[in-house]
Amino acid sequence: MEHPLQAWRDTLRELGVVGLVREPRLEPAAPQAAPQPVHRVVPEAPLPPAVPKAYAPPTGPVACPPAAAVQAAATLADLQRAIEGCLACPLGPGRMKFVFGEGDPAARLLFVGEGPGRDEDLQGRPFVGKAGELLDKMIGALGFSRETTYIANIVKCRPPDNRTPTPEEAHTCLGYLHRQIELIRPDVIVTLGATPLRELAGITEGITKLRGQWQRIQVGGREIPVMPTFHPAYVLRQYTQDVRRAVWQDLQAAKEWLDRPAGS
Ligand code: SF4
């Protein structure tokens, strides 16, 4: 039978502790109790240096671009310039990089996710982590690419610990996405997960129930069909054939809508 000390040592090894150093036993001073041995944990490798934060807290009034400047933006580049210093909601001060969105400025197919995660915050680009790799594969399987579609999020700054943006944060940021949609004029929007469906279409029912069912939104005087599907991060967590098949069906429905003959 394995000795309990052996099991303890194996557990420490799994946690990365490669050795224990026993302090030399001190000669006990006369009437005091004998000192107990002290174990010092030796880390396997030095910790990486902390990543410096690029953001410096504002010293003046909180910056929020006037709505007129957002509406006046005639191109996506104009819009990005107008809003990339935004500190209008509590997410702004915590961001490393502003994640505006990227892709074809005249894309027919627009993907909308929830908000930047850690990798996106570091790189300033949407969907660049593991979930992004999966999204790229799905887009590629449809016959598109990042360059021929557009990818954006409901909020443009990372929520701490990747939590869901609060309704207040989402509402504060939504005007920017609406202006993006007005400028891109996509024929179809695919929402990824529950948050973009809730914020864009005002639908609070669960994504499991609503995925695959066409919805419609009005932006800039245009009605745009919306196909709700699961977020790629959810697909990675629930990597079952059923979930993957469901997402694939939803994406194919979006593609079929784009491919339908004009006027039908
Ligand atoms: S999340 Fe949106 S509203 Fe909030 S600070 Fe960032 S850009 Fe501004």
Side-chain angles (χ1 to χ4, degrees):
M1 201 178 108
E2 192 183 42
H3 192 281
L5 277 177
Q6 172 105 32
W8 179 66
R9 192 196 63 192
D10 291 344
T11 304
L12 286 178
R13 277 205 177 131
E14 282 170 19
L15 293 172
V17 179
V18 295
L20 297 173
V21 177
R22 189 188 293 268
E23 289 260 311
R25 184 183 289 272
L26 298 173
E27 286 303 320
Q32 291 175 357
Q36 297 298 308
V38 178
H39 293 118
R40 195 182 286 150
V41 175
V42 181
E44 198 163 33
L47 292 172
V51 180
K53 277 231 157 213
Y55 174 75
T59 50
V62 168
C64 179
V70 174
Q71 279 310 311
T75 65
L76 290 178
D78 288 347
L79 179 62
Q80 182 166 358
R81 270 192 295 276
I83 67 175
E84 63 192 356
C86 176
L87 295 169
C89 89
L91 300 182
R95 70 174 170 244
M96 295 279 286
K97 286 195 175 159
F98 183 85
V99 183
F100 180 72
E102 67 181 27
D104 179 356
R108 297 185 66 206
L109 180 57
L110 168 66
F111 293 91
V112 179
E114 181 176 285
R118 180 179 175 277
D119 295 320
E120 291 77 14
D121 188 39
L122 287 170
Q123 295 188 38
R125 298 178 58 211
F127 282 93
V128 288
K130 291 271 176 233
E133 283 174 22
L134 179 60
L135 181 62
D136 283 348
K137 281 184 194 160
M138 295 192 301
I139 293 175
L142 278 183
F144 292 103
S145 67
R146 261 181 195 254
E147 291 71 33
T148 57
T149 59
Y150 201 93
I151 306 174
N153 282 308
I154 291 291
V155 290
K156 305 200 178 301
C157 307
R158 182 191 181 195
D161 302 323
N162 295 345
R163 65 161 169 74
T164 303
T166 65
E168 290 71 27
E169 290 158 356
H171 293 171
T172 309
C173 209
L174 198 57
Y176 303 154
L177 179 61
H178 280 165
R179 186 65 189 140
Q180 263 176 310
I181 294 173
E182 286 173 3
L183 293 169
I184 297 168
R185 295 177 64 81
D187 291 327
V188 172
I189 296 175
V190 174
T191 51
L192 304 168
T195 304
L197 183 63
R198 183 187 75 210
E199 298 304 331
L200 274 179
I203 296 171
T204 53
E205 280 182 89
I207 185 68
T208 308
K209 189 169 170 197
L210 279 187
R211 62 133 285 271
Q213 298 180 32
W214 283 108
Q215 310 294 327
R216 296 195 174 258
I217 61 169
Q218 287 272 350
V219 179
R222 287 176 72 232
E223 190 175 74
I224 307 171
V226 172
M227 172 52 66
T229 195
F230 293 126
H231 193 284
Y234 174 82
V235 180
L236 287 173
R237 285 197 306 273
Q238 305 286 329
Y239 206 67
T240 65
Q241 205 173 27
D242 283 351
V243 169
R244 281 178 284 162
R245 190 184 297 132
V247 173
W248 181 237
Q249 284 171 355
D250 301 343
L251 296 181
Q252 279 187 310
K255 172 95 161 58
E256 279 164 21
W257 180 270
L258 291 173
D259 290 345
R260 78 198 191 290
S264 61

